[in-house]
Amino acid sequence: MQHIFSSAGGLTVVPYPGSDPRLLLTGGGTETAYEYRDRGGYRPVGSVAALADEVERSGLRGRGGAGFPFAVKVAGVRGGSRAGAGAPAGWTETVVVANGEEGEPASFKDRWLLRHRPHLVLDGLRLAAALVGSRRGYVYLSDPEAARCIGAALEELGGALPDGPEIAVVQVDPGYVAGEETAAVQAIDGGPAKPTDKPPRPFEAGVAGLPTLVSNVETLANLPFLDRWGADTYRAAGTALSPGTFLATVTAAGHPPTLYELPHGLPFADLLALHGVAESELRGALIGGYFTGLLDRTVADLNLDHETLRRAGAGLGCGAIALITAECPVAVAAGVLNYFDRENAGQCGSCFNGTAAMAAAATALAEGLAGGEDLHRLRRWATVLRGRGACGTLDAACNTAASLLERFPREVAAHLDNQCPDCAGGPALDHAPYRVATEVVL
Ligand SMILES: Cc1cc2nc3c(=O)[nH]c(=O)nc-3n(C[C@H](O)[C@H](O)[C@H](O)COP(=O)(O)O)c2cc1C
Ligand code: SF4
């Protein structure tokens, strides 16, 4: 029985050596309001125009998956509130949402922020509310411990953010699709945490039909730094197109899961060295979580920024980096596809049926039971099903299947002949690979 690595033990927290962390604190425990203020937090909101200018110049990109420019989203929400986009003429009300659901199994950075730096997140939400002129904010999450820490932080503040919007915490059951932005909006409005059709996107008509800024918790956590130090200092780390630092949840067989704060653009080889994994051990990686599929060992030549990874046909996504070392990539892909089969919201026929079919074909391949016909079908599905679901889950499954077939032909051929040395005895496919369990952090 092959064991796909699933993290256990504590989560190690490591800032990039030689740099002052912007988001991480290494002492453990939950930062109090007093400690946060002592570090310069909750500054009075000054000129919104000046803050908007710094945000624009900073090039801050979203940390929830797509790397979308934050300033563009802010402009969209402000435009939506003025121009109407479905709202009554002259309407100015907007909503802000801190998305901390973190459905991605290989990621633990949002829950870490919510549990350990709740005031940093709330301060970021407060600044985002100022940027879009909002008086209503939500912290959207599923982790009970994160909900407890945010609730306690709000109590410390007497229930209200300084110069900030009214805040409510909305807790849902965890799920891969629950963190998708339209699922978040629907859940906050009292419905199921499942994606809805787009358009409209939340910036046009979100919570209660109002223009809504849905931003990832880590994206928001960058705003207090930007507010205090400005865009030039923010850009002192990172690359021109991926400025600043990012949180990376790194998992690898035989190593404790680790949360790093890294400068964008860091060579992947440097991360391997930092994590204590020899390049010769590396077979590939899942970068950005499950969404963008598998990379082979040439990932070691890449840099960790949006532009490089996109060129390589992958993405930085939410910063989750699962190193494939001891595991067979075919078994990893089958595990991920089975996860999508279980976790899709069952709303779109092509996704419901497509993920089930791809998972079944990949499982048969992993177990040495597939033939050339199955492979041919898997390849075809990975192409024709792309773009046919309401959210990105079906695309994620297509990415997984396509990248396995494209980047691991030797391993796939070995499975067709039932000759994979790693999978003798049958692979373990019944759980999500590289899942970082919530209990490890406490
Ligand atoms: C299937 C799916 C799941 C998603 N899950 C999350 C999530 O758990 N957390 C998150 O912040 N964004 C998630 N997203 C992205 C959100 O839809 C949205 O783009 C994001 O919250 C925006 O924040 P950002 O601009 O700060 O990245 C998901 C997207 C998809 C397609
Ligand atoms: S694409 Fe899949 S996960 Fe997304 S809404 Fe449709 S059925 Fe649900």
Side-chain angles (χ1 to χ4, degrees):
M1 169 80 64
Q2 184 197 7
H3 292 286
I4 295 174
F5 182 64
S6 166
S7 306
L11 183 86
T12 312
V13 173
V14 181
Y16 189 61
S19 68
D20 286 333
R22 300 176 181 186
L23 304 174
L24 290 185
L25 287 178
T26 49
T30 301
E31 187 181 33
T32 63
Y34 175 80
E35 289 163 341
Y36 181 63
R37 280 208 171 88
D38 201 44
R39 292 189 174 100
Y42 290 130
R43 281 157 39 98
V45 178
S47 157
V48 172
L51 176 61
D53 190 47
E54 293 302 319
V55 163
E56 164 118 44
R57 289 199 309 115
S58 75
L60 172 63
R61 298 173 75 144
R63 308 292 202 256
F68 192 76
F70 179 72
V72 174
K73 201 181 270 192
V74 166
V77 174
R78 286 161 65 123
S81 78
R82 290 208 193 94
W91 198 255
T92 53
E93 203 178 331
T94 60
V95 179
V96 286
V97 176
N99 188 353
E101 199 284 324
E102 199 170 37
E104 168 58 53
S107 181
F108 210 103
K109 47 114 180 169
D110 295 332
R111 281 167 288 177
W112 187 90
L113 284 170
L114 290 162
R115 289 177 178 198
H116 296 272
R117 302 209 69 191
H119 291 287
L120 179 67
V121 173
L122 290 171
D123 198 7
L125 188 59
R126 181 183 78 110
L127 293 170
L131 285 168
V132 297
S134 175
R135 283 171 296 164
R136 271 169 84 179
Y138 294 89
V139 181
Y140 176 72
L141 42 69
S142 58
D143 174 36
E145 180 59 16
R148 192 190 65 74
C149 292
I150 284 287
L154 284 168
E155 260 178 44
E156 276 184 275
L157 299 171
L161 288 179
D163 301 332
E166 275 182 25
I167 300 287
V169 180
V170 175
Q171 187 179 348
V172 294
D173 290 335
Y176 185 74
V177 297
E180 196 271 345
E181 59 183 3
T182 60
V185 164
Q186 179 158 249
I188 290 169
D189 278 340
K194 292 184 175 185
T196 57
D197 282 337
K198 297 174 270 291
R201 291 196 168 267
F203 79 88
E204 300 164 304
V207 174
L210 299 169
T212 299
L213 182 84
V214 181
S215 281
N216 174 259
V217 154
E218 183 192 345
T219 313
L220 297 173
N222 276 277
L223 293 178
F225 181 94
L226 249 174
D227 178 49
R228 183 159 181 212
W229 302 109
D232 293 339
T233 308
Y234 181 81
R235 281 184 168 280
T239 69
L241 296 177
S242 302
T245 61
F246 71 101
L247 294 181
T249 315
V250 180
T251 44
H255 297 259
T258 305
L259 185 63
Y260 294 99
E261 181 170 352
L262 304 173
H264 279 115
L266 185 79
F268 191 87
D270 289 7
L271 174 64
L272 284 181
L274 200 59
H275 204 61
V277 172
E279 216 173 299
S280 56
E281 284 179 66
L282 189 74
R283 299 179 85 170
L286 283 168
I287 294 203
Y290 284 8
F291 196 88
T292 57
L294 285 74
L295 283 164
D296 59 24
R297 56 183 311 167
T298 59
V299 66
D301 303 328
L302 302 178
N303 292 341
L304 292 166
D305 56 59
H306 291 283
E307 54 278 23
T308 307
L309 291 169
R310 279 209 182 139
R311 273 199 305 274
L316 194 51
C318 62
I321 300 173
L323 304 175
I324 302 172
T325 53
E327 310 87 344
C328 170
V330 177
V332 171
V336 171
L337 283 165
N338 276 281
Y339 173 81
F340 287 136
D341 178 32
R342 284 194 303 274
E343 283 285 318
N344 75 80
Q347 303 192 122
C348 315
S350 48
C351 178
F352 181 70
N353 296 319
T355 50
M358 286 193 278
T363 305
L365 183 67
E367 292 178 350
L369 302 172
E373 239 338 272
D374 299 299
L375 217 58
H376 176 69
R377 275 199 292 269
L378 190 57
R379 187 169 284 118
R380 194 167 57 79
W381 287 327
T383 309
V384 300
L385 293 175
R386 210 171 275 279
R388 289 181 48 185
C391 78
T393 302
L394 183 55
D395 288 355
C398 293
N399 291 340
T400 307
S403 60
L404 172 70
L405 300 177
E406 211 176 282
R407 295 182 179 135
F408 295 93
R410 207 163 42 85
E411 286 83 353
V412 168
H415 273 264
L416 276 181
D417 295 340
N418 202 7
Q419 294 286 331
C420 174
D422 301 318
C423 295
L429 295 172
D430 57 346
H431 61 276
Y434 313 103
R435 177 185 285 282
V436 184
T438 50
E439 57 274 17
V440 301
V441 190
L442 292 173

